[in-house]
Amino acid sequence: MVRGLSAVCGIIGVAVERGALPEKLGDVLYGCLKRLEYRGYDSVGIAFIDDLGRLVVRKSVGKIDEVREKIGFSEIDGVVGLGHTRWATHGRPSDENAHPHTDCSGTIAVVHNGIIENFSELRKWLENLGHRFRSETDTEVIPHLIEEFIRRGMSIYSAFKRAVSLLRGTYAIAAIYAGGRRILFARNTSPLVIGLGKGYNFIASDIPAFLRYTNRVVVVHDGELGYVTSSSVRLEAADGKVVSVETRARVVEWSPEAVEKGGYRHFMEKEILEQPQALAQTIAGLGEEVRRAAELIARAERVIFVAAGSSYHASIIGALALTRLAKVPSVPLVSSEARWWLGRWLSDRDVVIAVSQSGETIDTLIAVRIAKDLGAKVVALSNVLGSAIPRESHLAIYTRAGPEIGVAATKTFTTQVAALSYLAATVAKLRGEASRSEYEAVVEDLRRCPISASLAIESGRSLVSKALDVFVRSRSAFYLGRGFGLGVAKEGALKMKEVAYVHAEAYPAGESKHGPIALVEPGFPTLFCACSSEELEMVASNVEEMKSRGAVTILVAPRKLAERVRSADHVIEVPKHLSPAVQAIPLVIPLQMLAYETAVARGYDPDKPRNLAKTVTVI
Ligand code: M6R
């Protein structure tokens, strides 16, 4: 039985005049793929057109540095090339299933990110026409379709367009062909951006891939397709009209250094340590967009957050801040579950807030579409300008954390919390639920936040020195909290799970007695998070419960308040804030650092956790 092997991936294409870029084509592709590796790292492949106009494909299972020699990047020269880094969602990664995929004649190469849902029927049809398939992937139908339409007399571009018109599913596709200098591309749902240079143009899944060479970008929208050469770009809308690239082009503010490790051991370490700066930039940039979203939310009957992973944890904190401070009933929903909860009860009096750092998470995008269909107003919070979720929402707020390369979200989480805290305070002020001084207190908290994030890094060092050994030795741990502290506990536990592979379970502290406490035995690490004195007072009894069962208890809490619970084995103090939502920011930083150091001490690469991809664009 033929099974489709789909993938979440990074794709890159470059068309260049000789000498226009400082490196040879192979080295450019290597560098771009390296910067895309966080999107997937099961296998790597490239295709390029050699001096004789022939198509050459090289691919292998493994991480890019493991296969660098085998692929021979540094020997490759040429003027047009494609690259792909793959994270398999079904089946094992293998050389055959690695991209690029080619047609029967080996003259057309395609890289793809997404899922072709109707690939089985297309494949059957093509096989009946005599096409021979080499892999089990859904992607391989694309080069064969193009080949088929060329056989029927179409030009390469017409054949590409015809092939794309037959695809159902999600895709970002790039294709090259023997003797050609164009890179053909098409997008539906999976991200795709064009990088505009002088004497060269790129097509990629993400801006960081080519940021070293250009910061002028064009985001390709759903249904659009076209091609790039070294000196031109053709972009067609879904209705076939030509889109003006100059009008669409934007300059991104991210610096090329932001996507380099710059002396740090890993991107995760760099991104944890650059949180003070990321917070300062984000807070400084929160203005008109927040005011407009706040006006919408101030009139709302209910607010529903939809998000995944760390963005969901930020949503717990945001929903609680809106409920408690602004008195707008708000709930967080895991976006992949949203379809079961959202229904006809939703109306244009409700606001859905879609939180996604990448702006491309498919589950969150689908939840946005459902909410819009049901009539709700949608506000997006994202870190990536022009990405799908903000584009499809009625309003968008942006964090300004800079590109995040580490698979584990760190600076994008804390900047989301900062933006949501400010949004909640602005809504509270508009609704008359917060006095001027209460509003000013949140603004002052946010103003101080970059400094307290720096001080929290010191608290993190203290947590690492006290708790690293116990986490390195442990297979499981509890992270407990209440209210805002639960959002922090969940985020801390997720970091520990995803990079250090310790089964860290986050639980509402009060719920721990209803079952999970049975797991506790002497030496079991239990970490408590509290964002306010109210939370701390309630968590204090849970510390005692765990301690009396032999757990190693660690409390992370605001300075001065933490003094009240001296019974924990280790007490880690972080700078104190008045707003419990803002308090979450310095509280989570030590937890990020503990997860990072545990991963390193256990010998794992925290930038490339096993089985994970940075952006999940398949359901
Ligand atoms: O780009 P998004 O914020 O939508 O991503 C959501 C999750 O995939 C993401 O937070 C994931 O859980 C991270 N690996 C967490 O560190």
Side-chain angles (χ1 to χ4, degrees):
M1 194 186 83
V2 175
R3 207 176 41 163
L5 301 181
S6 311
V8 176
C9 318
I11 69 179
I12 179 74
V14 55
V16 55
E17 278 163 23
R18 275 193 197 281
L21 283 169
E23 297 131 5
K24 288 203 298 199
L25 182 71
D27 293 323
V28 174
L29 286 173
Y30 168 79
C32 294
L33 282 172
K34 192 77 193 127
R35 286 182 285 275
L36 277 175
E37 206 181 10
Y38 69 102
R39 297 183 67 90
Y41 29 82
D42 290 340
S43 56
V44 184
I46 55 153
F48 61 98
I49 308 299
D50 73 9
D51 284 338
L52 300 173
R54 292 173 304 199
L55 177 76
V56 183
V57 174
R58 295 184 189 167
K59 55 191 190 176
S60 174
V61 73
K63 296 195 175 105
I64 187 160
D65 281 332
E66 292 162 5
V67 303
R68 188 176 183 176
E69 294 301 314
K70 184 174 167 193
I71 289 186
F73 284 97
S74 53
E75 305 142 19
I76 296 166
D77 207 358
V79 289
V80 60
L82 291 182
H84 188 272
T85 173
R86 176 171 190 261
W87 181 82
T89 55
H90 302 78
R92 296 186 69 77
S94 66
D95 287 1
E96 298 71 41
N97 292 331
H99 296 217
H101 292 287
T102 51
D103 63 326
C104 300
S105 65
T107 56
I108 301 164
V110 171
V111 290
H112 163 225
N113 173 23
I115 296 180
I116 306 302
E117 284 160 10
N118 59 337
F119 87 97
S120 283
E121 55 195 85
L122 291 172
R123 179 168 172 153
K124 231 176 266 156
W125 179 65
L126 288 160
E127 280 175 337
N128 284 338
L129 291 168
H131 290 263
R132 292 180 323 279
F133 282 73
R134 294 183 198 89
S135 78
E136 289 182 293
T137 65
D138 50 353
T139 303
E140 201 186 337
V141 296
I142 305 169
H144 289 284
L145 279 174
I146 301 171
E147 178 181 42
E148 180 58 33
F149 293 119
I150 290 175
R151 277 187 196 162
R152 294 179 184 205
M154 289 186 187
S155 69
I156 176 82
Y157 187 47
S158 301
F160 177 76
K161 289 201 318 188
R162 180 85 180 94
V164 169
S165 73
L166 296 181
L167 304 177
R168 279 205 318 270
T170 59
Y171 49 80
I173 300 166
I176 60 172
Y177 51 96
R181 294 199 157 207
R182 290 185 289 186
I183 304 171
L184 313 177
F185 65 81
R187 170 192 178 157
N188 184 38
T189 305
S190 304
L192 198 63
V193 283
I194 301 168
L196 302 170
K198 288 201 170 66
Y200 53 89
N201 287 309
F202 289 91
I203 183 92
S205 298
D206 242 342
I207 299 165
F210 54 67
L211 194 57
R212 199 168 153 215
Y213 306 107
T214 181
N215 62 356
R216 276 192 82 218
V217 305
V218 174
V219 176
V220 180
H221 294 180
D222 277 349
E224 290 182 343
L225 48 67
Y227 57 80
V228 299
T229 68
S230 60
S231 58
S232 68
V233 177
R234 182 179 176 89
L235 182 61
E236 290 178 26
D239 61 6
K241 290 205 180 101
V242 175
V243 177
S244 158
V245 170
E246 283 309 313
T247 318
R248 179 85 71 79
R250 268 196 301 239
V251 172
V252 291
E253 290 158 17
W254 297 349
S255 71
E257 294 74 44
V259 292
E260 307 294 340
K261 253 192 283 183
Y264 292 92
R265 288 173 291 173
H266 299 95
F267 279 108
M268 184 175 176
E269 179 183 44
K270 175 173 180 257
E271 288 158 2
I272 290 173
L273 299 181
E274 67 193 17
Q275 286 180 103
Q277 190 195 347
L279 285 159
Q281 278 164 8
T282 295
I283 293 161
L286 295 171
E288 181 56 19
E289 53 199 35
V290 173
R291 198 188 53 72
R292 286 174 52 214
E295 276 170 5
L296 198 67
I297 295 165
R299 296 192 301 269
E301 262 177 25
R302 296 165 289 218
V303 172
I304 298 99
F305 285 75
V306 292
S310 297
S311 295
Y312 170 68
H313 301 150
S315 300
I316 295 176
I317 293 164
L320 211 44
L322 270 176
T323 304
R324 288 174 66 92
L325 186 63
K327 313 279 188 297
V328 183
S330 307
V331 288
L333 283 184
V334 167
S335 54
S336 56
E337 289 290 304
R339 68 175 71 227
W340 310 112
W341 293 90
L342 300 179
R344 290 273 152 235
W345 53 269
L346 211 61
S347 77
D348 61 359
R349 294 186 305 283
D350 298 313
V351 172
V352 166
I353 303 184
V355 183
S356 171
Q357 78 80 19
S358 63
E360 303 286 353
T361 298
I362 190 73
D363 291 321
T364 309
L365 184 58
I366 290 171
V368 166
R369 290 176 180 165
I370 296 172
K372 279 174 74 186
D373 283 349
L374 291 166
K377 292 277 178 296
V378 181
V379 175
L381 174 62
S382 178
N383 193 46
V384 181
L385 210 67
S387 51
I389 292 169
R391 242 187 17 250
E392 294 203 17
S393 300
H394 297 105
L395 283 175
I397 301 172
Y398 287 100
T399 49
R400 288 167 173 80
E404 188 175 70
I405 308 294
V407 165
T410 51
K411 60 179 180 170
T412 55
F413 172 79
T414 47
T415 51
Q416 284 169 348
V417 172
L420 292 172
S421 306
Y422 183 56
L423 179 65
T426 311
V427 175
K429 190 175 155 215
L430 281 176
R431 284 169 58 94
E433 296 291 355
S435 64
R436 190 175 170 79
S437 60
E438 281 169 318
Y439 170 78
E440 298 288 337
V442 176
V443 172
E444 175 58 16
D445 263 350
L446 285 169
R447 205 188 52 74
R448 283 180 40 235
C449 184
I451 295 171
S452 68
S454 306
L455 297 170
I457 290 169
E458 290 312 312
S459 313
R461 294 199 172 110
S462 154
L463 175 61
V464 167
S465 73
K466 289 175 174 150
L468 184 64
D469 283 353
V470 60
F471 276 87
V472 169
R473 285 194 317 266
S474 298
R475 296 189 58 196
S476 318
F478 276 153
Y479 281 56
L480 305 179
R482 293 169 181 261
F484 293 91
L486 179 59
V488 175
K490 282 181 180 279
E491 179 57 11
L494 177 63
K495 293 300 87 134
M496 186 56 86
K497 265 191 279 228
E498 69 182 331
V499 300
Y501 316 148
V502 175
H503 181 215
E505 199 60 51
Y507 244 85
E511 184 71 5
S512 59
K513 283 195 284 294
H514 298 277
I517 199 167
L519 290 171
V520 174
E521 54 190 11
F524 190 93
T526 307
L527 199 147
F528 296 86
C529 308
C531 284
S532 65
S533 58
E534 194 187 349
E535 287 177 16
L536 191 75
E537 270 156 30
M538 297 191 73
V539 147
S541 61
N542 305 115
V543 173
E544 296 302 332
E545 282 158 16
M546 292 295 173
K547 206 174 144 89
S548 63
R549 283 157 183 88
V552 176
T553 52
I554 304 152
L555 171 70
V556 187
R559 197 154 287 141
K560 295 214 173 90
L561 298 185
E563 288 162 8
R564 298 188 202 158
V565 187
R566 286 283 162 214
S567 55
D569 295 309
H570 306 294
V571 177
I572 306 299
E573 296 182 322
V574 299
K576 185 171 180 304
H577 286 278
L578 286 174
S579 149
V582 179
Q583 186 65 67
I585 295 169
L587 214 67
V588 81
I589 291 174
L591 276 51
Q592 297 169 339
M593 293 170 71
L594 180 62
Y596 170 77
E597 295 296 351
T598 306
V600 173
R602 290 177 139 218
Y604 303 130
D605 178 350
D607 283 346
K608 298 189 199 73
R610 67 186 174 211
N611 309 333
L612 289 185
K614 177 75 176 163
T615 309
V616 181
T617 50
V618 289
I619 49 174

